[in-house]
Amino acid sequence: GNKETVSFLNLGSVVCPEDPYMAGYLSAIEAVSGNVAHGASVKDSYLVIREYFSENESSDEAHMAHGLYDAQMSMGVFAIGCKVFLASCSSSLPVPSAAAVAAVSAGKKDDVISNAFKKAGNRVYLIQPAVDGNGIPVSMKDTLETIEGLIRDKKAVSVQAIGNGGIAEGVMKMSLGEGFGFRFVKELSLRQLFSVRYGAFLVEAEEKIEGASVVGEIMDEKEFIYGSETVNTDLLLSVYEDRLEPVYP
């Protein structure tokens, strides 16, 4: 038959041994953000959580659970299941505490989009939540609903959820698949380009997005341009792929 509803699944797992609260919080944010970036509905999203702790770090459980709880409250997306595991380890090979969060979501078939750039000349915008004094994204529900609205209203051409690699990683992932290049705006500092930004999104659009900052413009030429520096995209792709060549020849 004619089916209009689709399902989404995305995994979030941020390892942060020195801060289990942050690990739990950001893992949940990463999981949901990935689904919403592809057209999932925020209100039809749920979490399935697995927490892992070593035998000598079980005290981390409360801190990670706190982070996971706060993330759920910030997004308005809640867990339907959770399991906790204790991992045995030796003193020579410690196992850091970690959370593996799966976000399951539903959405409409017509709202599904990819993260690949679509057209040279389109601008790319940064949409991000406010952060508190510890760098933790807050008011995530508003940010997620903004992205959902842009996709639903066909104002977003492509969307990429970004995280540990920041704007630079997000632009690379959006560019390489379709062979586009990118010119970054000169106002971006290197620190801004590579800063960790869990909960933030890059949005390709044909028209201006009010309240969002421009990070650059898509080009047909296979180059990433930042100020006076230029990197060939084919060279970058080979470096990116060759790292796994010994593992997957």
Side-chain angles (χ1 to χ4, degrees):
N2 183 21
K3 304 299 183 183
E4 298 299 325
T5 301
V6 295
S7 59
F8 301 82
L9 174 64
N10 189 55
L11 179 67
S13 185
V14 179
V15 178
C16 190
E18 68 280 3
D19 192 342
Y21 173 92
M22 186 73 83
Y25 194 102
L26 296 182
S27 294
I29 297 295
E30 183 179 48
V32 176
S33 295
N35 280 354
V36 172
H38 287 292
S41 167
V42 180
K43 68 180 181 63
D44 292 323
S45 296
Y46 302 91
L47 302 178
V48 178
I49 300 170
R50 289 193 173 194
E51 300 175 66
Y52 299 87
F53 305 96
S54 61
E55 293 174 342
N56 58 342
E57 295 291 345
S58 57
S59 60
D60 289 349
E61 181 178 351
H63 298 294
M64 186 174 289
H66 188 190
L68 288 162
Y69 173 81
D70 284 352
Q72 291 174 74
M73 296 302 293
S74 178
M75 295 185 292
V77 176
F78 302 100
I80 56 175
C82 180
K83 288 186 177 181
V84 178
F85 298 86
L86 279 179
S88 60
C89 62
S90 67
S91 59
S92 61
L93 187 64
V95 178
S97 300
V101 183
V104 290
S105 310
K108 294 182 179 180
K109 180 179 67 176
D110 291 341
D111 290 337
V112 176
I113 64 173
S114 75
N115 65 334
F117 284 152
K118 304 300 189 296
K119 181 182 176 183
N122 284 350
R123 290 187 171 185
V124 176
Y125 296 83
L126 175 67
I127 296 178
Q128 58 185 345
V131 295
D132 66 13
N134 297 313
I136 296 175
V138 295
S139 66
M140 272 304 302
K141 185 176 181 181
D142 293 340
T143 303
L144 294 170
E145 289 179 343
T146 295
I147 297 300
E148 182 181 350
L150 290 170
I151 295 173
R152 183 181 60 245
D153 296 338
K154 311 304 179 188
K155 294 180 179 179
V157 180
S158 65
V159 179
Q160 171 73 43
I162 56 180
N164 191 56
I167 295 170
E169 180 189 17
V171 167
M172 183 192 72
K173 289 180 175 179
M174 299 175 84
S175 298
L176 295 182
E178 300 299 326
F180 286 108
F182 195 80
R183 183 188 298 274
F184 293 95
V185 295
K186 61 182 180 180
E187 291 82 7
L188 273 177
S189 68
L190 282 176
R191 182 172 183 176
Q192 291 172 322
L193 199 59
F194 290 96
S195 292
V196 175
R197 294 180 188 269
Y198 285 102
F201 296 84
L202 294 175
V203 180
E204 175 191 356
E206 295 181 342
E207 299 179 0
K208 182 179 180 180
I209 299 178
E210 296 295 336
S213 55
V214 179
V215 299
E217 184 175 310
I218 304 168
M219 307 189 307
D220 277 324
E221 296 79 9
K222 292 187 174 184
E223 296 176 332
F224 289 137
I225 300 176
Y226 174 78
S228 60
E229 302 293 328
T230 300
V231 177
N232 181 272
T233 59
D234 289 337
L235 174 61
L236 186 61
L237 180 60
S238 67
V239 173
Y240 183 64
E241 292 180 334
D242 288 352
R243 180 171 186 141
L244 292 178
E245 196 63 29
V247 182
Y248 302 103

